[in-house]
Amino acid sequence: MSRPWKSELRVQLGRGSTAVQRLAPWTRRVLDEARVQGAALQALPAALAALRERSEEPLPAQARLLVPDELAYLSLIERDGGWPAAHRAALDHFAATLGRTDLVVQVAAMPPGTNWLAAAIETGDLQAWQQALADAGVRLAHVELLLLDDLRRLAGQVPDEAIVALLRDEGSTLVRVERGTPVELRWERCDPRALRLIEQRLMAFQGGIVSSQPPGVWMLCGSDAQYAHWEHMARAHGWTLLRREAAPAQPEHGA
Amino acid sequence: MKRPPQLDFLAGAPRPWGGVALALLAALLLGAAALSSWRLDQANREALAALNEQAARRLPPAPRKLSEAERVRLAQAARVAGELRAPWGDLLATFEQHGQGDIGLLKLEPDAKSGLVRITGQARNAAALFAYLRELEAEPRLVRVALTTQQLERETPGQPLRFVIQAGWRGAPPASKELS
């Protein structure tokens, strides 16, 4: 159970780096951050150690971990009958498409109708994250999707008819929004620096080739470097370019 | 775009918070109703116990077997009570309302046990005495009226006839029963 009156760790995994942030109680303002390059299984313990060394205060007792798109299987399914039926349908979907029945599966209803986001992660990955945090004296309280975290941040800016392009470390996630809710989801594994490749796939997904009035594109960059890389292209197409978040606040010593 | 919900791999099925809240509210209301009912029941029990205690204090004790001495005392008390129940005022009025001017009553002696009354008086003369006697015999409240004695009082001025009349009265209580 979440305890908003206590400080919390926010763990953002990446294929090439892991960032761990110490968040304040209630406001969840970033008090400190440690980022370590490398694979998650090695980078996470190192980031926890770095954060602990930089403050006299002990690490928060609980953590929230965001799973990147690269480490999750994602799909939109239609199902009536509430959460149990949708969860059952998700299990069947991943068994049919991936041939896997050993995944950790969860579903979330996409408002307002019968669309559900089905997500699955490797059981081994979950256990490894729990163990790494437990070794540092931290309880893993929540395991959430970076995809939904980003969409929740963008919801107020994105219109009800739009294409959302989320640039990741190893590709991009494209989301078609109709009547205010995601109706199509596609993961494109590719080099996120390949401008022409992503441009073509994005335009195909947008329907710009066959439509004279395609929906607008909102592109989210994961870093300042990505933002600079895409700025010219986005301006040329009239895309809206966004950055996930500004740099974290300077660590507060003695707070 | 509508703000999508978050997804947590460590959470189970979403809780129907609306239903939980309603269930909690219902449980609270039921609990309050049960508590109120219990308190009312307790108050009723206490009131009933107090009433029972009051009633028990007012009821006479259960009868018990009497000793010989108690039976004698009770018989004497019953006799006195019977005599007290005799209509003395009524009797006196009955004897005084007859023989006006010619009869003077000296003594009235009722006997509640036998239901008889004995009067002693003076008559002016024999004619007045017998007229008084006839009036008493006709009195509906009296029975078995009888002149038991008469005597001329030569030494008393006017030489009246002194008499004693005995009579029973209607509605006299029966003789008290012997108690077992």
Side-chain angles (χ1 to χ4, degrees):
Chain A
M1 187 177 176
S2 184
R3 301 171 189 174
W5 60 91
K6 288 188 175 291
S7 62
E8 185 178 79
L9 283 182
R10 185 168 182 260
V11 179
Q12 188 165 325
L13 299 176
R15 294 300 269 180
S17 67
T18 295
V20 178
Q21 296 172 326
R22 183 197 297 267
L23 304 181
W26 296 112
T27 62
R28 295 297 182 233
R29 187 166 58 88
V30 177
L31 300 175
D32 196 4
E33 178 178 345
R35 184 179 291 271
V36 175
Q37 302 295 322
L41 285 181
Q42 286 79 41
L44 178 54
L48 291 169
L51 204 64
R52 187 168 44 227
E53 287 170 10
R54 281 154 58 157
S55 174
E56 294 175 355
E57 292 179 12
L59 289 176
Q62 63 186 28
R64 183 184 302 268
L65 186 142
L66 293 178
V67 179
D69 298 355
E70 293 89 333
L71 295 181
Y73 304 101
L74 302 169
S75 185
L76 285 174
I77 59 176
E78 274 197 43
R79 188 69 179 192
D80 285 328
W83 186 92
H87 190 255
R88 182 72 250 169
L91 290 170
D92 295 339
H93 169 77
F94 291 121
T97 57
L98 303 174
R100 302 280 302 277
T101 58
D102 60 337
L103 301 171
V104 179
V105 177
Q106 180 60 285
V107 292
M110 294 291 111
T114 56
N115 257 7
W116 293 78
L117 175 65
I121 55 176
E122 297 284 348
T123 305
D125 286 346
L126 177 59
Q127 291 171 344
W129 302 330
Q130 286 173 320
Q131 188 60 52
L133 286 162
D135 290 343
V138 180
R139 181 179 66 91
L140 182 55
H142 305 281
V143 178
E144 299 170 346
L145 289 173
L146 182 62
L147 168 68
L148 289 179
D149 194 68
D150 285 341
L151 290 179
R152 287 162 64 85
R153 289 168 184 268
L154 297 177
Q157 305 174 61
V158 174
D160 288 348
E161 311 294 327
I163 300 295
V164 179
L166 305 169
L167 299 181
R168 303 310 198 193
D169 291 341
E170 296 184 351
S172 62
T173 299
L174 305 179
V175 182
R176 182 187 309 280
V177 178
E178 290 181 1
R179 293 179 301 279
T181 192
V183 296
E184 189 178 354
L185 189 67
R186 188 180 302 174
W187 161 250
E188 298 277 349
R189 184 178 294 278
C190 63
D191 185 347
R193 296 167 300 177
L195 293 172
R196 290 298 173 193
L197 181 61
I198 291 181
E199 178 193 24
Q200 288 174 357
R201 293 190 177 181
L202 184 52
M203 290 182 65
F205 187 80
Q206 181 190 25
I209 297 175
V210 297
S211 170
S212 61
Q213 290 185 322
V217 173
W218 267 255
M219 178 176 280
L220 180 68
C221 300
S223 63
D224 291 343
Q226 267 188 353
Y227 186 92
H229 190 72
W230 281 92
E231 195 170 9
H232 182 72
M233 174 74 74
R235 193 180 306 119
H237 283 285
W239 298 342
T240 302
L241 199 60
L242 303 165
R243 261 175 290 221
R244 178 175 296 113
E245 57 194 355
Q250 292 301 312
E252 293 188 5
H253 297 289
Chain B
M1 183 177 81
K2 296 181 180 65
R3 197 161 184 256
Q6 191 44 282
L7 179 151
D8 189 349
F9 286 97
L10 297 184
R15 287 188 178 88
W17 291 113
V20 169
L22 275 175
L24 277 174
L25 182 63
L28 279 172
L29 288 174
L30 275 174
L35 181 62
S36 174
S37 175
W38 179 82
R39 282 185 177 161
L40 192 60
D41 183 60
Q42 287 297 107
N44 285 342
R45 284 176 186 273
E46 286 170 8
L48 187 60
L51 281 174
N52 285 339
E53 189 182 349
Q54 271 184 353
R57 280 201 296 269
R58 288 179 182 169
L59 287 174
R64 60 181 177 81
K65 201 164 178 61
L66 298 173
S67 66
E68 184 61 30
E70 286 173 330
R71 290 216 312 267
V72 168
R73 282 200 294 276
L74 199 57
Q76 290 171 345
R79 191 160 49 244
V80 169
E83 289 176 0
L84 291 175
R85 277 199 297 273
W88 306 126
D90 208 23
L91 281 171
L92 186 59
T94 300
F95 289 109
E96 280 185 339
Q97 75 185 36
H98 298 290
Q100 294 286 334
D102 293 329
I103 300 296
L105 295 179
L106 300 175
K107 194 159 51 173
L108 184 71
E109 296 172 289
D111 183 352
K113 186 176 179 183
S114 60
L116 296 173
V117 58
R118 189 177 294 109
I119 61 170
T120 304
Q122 288 178 332
R124 186 183 298 279
N125 50 43
L129 174 59
F130 291 124
Y132 184 62
L133 197 59
R134 281 195 294 276
E135 288 176 8
L136 291 180
E137 287 172 346
E139 175 56 52
R141 285 174 282 188
L142 299 176
V143 295
R144 300 187 302 276
V145 178
L147 178 67
T148 60
T149 60
Q150 60 171 329
Q151 184 178 354
L152 184 64
E153 291 186 335
R154 297 181 187 278
E155 304 299 325
T156 305
Q159 295 180 342
L161 274 172
R162 189 181 182 88
F163 63 88
V164 175
I165 294 175
Q166 182 175 282
W169 72 86
R170 293 188 196 279
S176 59
K177 294 179 183 175
E178 284 297 320
L179 297 176
S180 59

